[in-house]
Amino acid sequence: MKRNTLIAIAAAGAVIAGGTIGGVALASGSGGGEQELRGTEQAAAAVDISDRDDDDRDDDAEREQEQGRDQSQDAGQGQGQDQGQDGDSPYSRVTALALSEAPGFVTDLERDHRDNGTVVWEVDIFGTDGQWYDVEINEDGTEVLRSHLDNDDDDDDDDRQVIPSSGIDIVEAILIAEQHTGAAFKDADLDDDGRHWEIELRGDGYEHEVKVAVATGEVTAYEKENDDD
């Protein structure tokens, strides 16, 4: 994992309408007046029943629409909850724990396989105090194994690391690279100009290298080659 000197802070680029009942004229006269009245009442009753049926259908349609909206909202909330689970990725846990040990900006993350068979997360942080820190986390991302100030000064003065003030962080970049390749994460670091995350992954006998723009989260470069390891 690379170590750089003093860092420059910079920005990287239904409405349902009901029916109406029409008025019914009552006829008057001798003889058949009573029958005409009853017939008229039946007609009015039929109109009233028909209208109620229309209203009931309208009410049913409105209820179905409301149920559909509720189901859509529930589905959207479910998707949001699923997406929110990405925040509980191992990368999020590891970087959060490392930053609790050394507050600042994570520039490098590596999943290192040690000779003794253990796996250790190595995290490089440019601290809020302007110093570099190395933090080592256990494989489960639950324990800080080692944390120390990095005093290495083996880079040229011209080799400066730019820290972006906005854009996606290292965890988001890793998730984008994993989705793009379907491979397993190995390491990631921020390039010197602070404009791209460079992620290395392995899978299916290949080594994948992905560059993700800090400003947009877009994959700007991708290469893969046979993995000889």
Side-chain angles (χ1 to χ4, degrees):
M1 301 175 73
K2 67 184 181 183
R3 307 290 193 278
N4 291 323
T5 56
L6 182 64
I7 297 178
I9 306 298
V15 175
I16 305 300
T20 57
I21 300 175
V24 178
L26 301 179
S28 61
S30 60
E34 184 177 350
Q35 294 178 350
E36 291 177 358
L37 178 59
R38 285 199 298 269
T40 303
E41 290 173 344
Q42 291 173 354
V47 172
D48 183 59
I49 292 172
S50 175
D51 187 71
R52 283 201 301 271
D53 289 342
D54 290 340
D55 288 344
D56 290 341
R57 284 193 293 269
D58 290 342
D59 291 342
D60 291 341
E62 187 172 2
R63 280 194 294 270
E64 289 176 358
Q65 290 176 350
E66 290 176 353
Q67 291 173 355
R69 286 194 294 269
D70 292 341
Q71 291 172 355
S72 298
Q73 291 173 355
D74 292 341
Q77 291 173 355
Q79 292 173 356
Q81 291 170 356
D82 292 341
Q83 293 173 356
Q85 291 174 359
D86 289 343
D88 194 35
S89 69
Y91 321 119
S92 296
R93 292 195 298 272
V94 168
T95 54
L97 182 56
L99 289 170
S100 70
E101 184 73 16
F105 186 92
V106 176
T107 61
D108 299 69
L109 178 64
E110 180 179 359
R111 192 171 186 269
D112 185 40
H113 291 262
R114 301 291 171 89
D115 293 337
N116 62 4
T118 61
V119 174
V120 175
W121 295 93
E122 296 183 354
V123 189
D124 284 3
I125 298 173
F126 180 70
T128 55
D129 59 358
Q131 302 290 326
W132 281 104
Y133 291 89
D134 288 342
V135 182
E136 295 181 0
I137 310 290
N138 69 337
E139 183 177 7
D140 294 335
T142 58
E143 181 184 356
V144 176
L145 303 176
R146 183 169 177 262
S147 177
H148 69 280
L149 184 65
D150 182 6
N151 293 317
D152 291 345
D153 192 16
D154 55 3
D155 292 318
D156 295 334
D157 290 339
D158 291 336
D159 188 13
R160 303 295 179 90
Q161 174 69 69
V162 175
I163 299 297
S165 62
S166 62
I168 65 171
D169 62 19
I170 195 168
V171 174
E172 293 171 297
I174 293 170
L175 295 175
I176 291 169
E178 284 186 330
Q179 184 178 15
H180 186 78
T181 63
F185 169 77
K186 183 179 184 299
D187 63 66
D189 61 79
L190 183 66
D191 64 7
D192 292 340
D193 63 10
R195 295 182 179 179
H196 290 88
W197 293 104
E198 299 175 348
I199 303 99
E200 182 179 333
L201 311 96
R202 288 178 176 172
D204 298 328
Y206 291 96
E207 183 176 286
H208 306 258
E209 295 183 358
V210 182
K211 292 185 72 172
V212 180
V214 171
T216 64
E218 177 186 1
V219 174
T220 59
Y222 169 61
E223 295 180 358
K224 74 175 183 178
E225 58 185 15
N226 291 327
D227 187 0
D228 298 329
D229 293 344

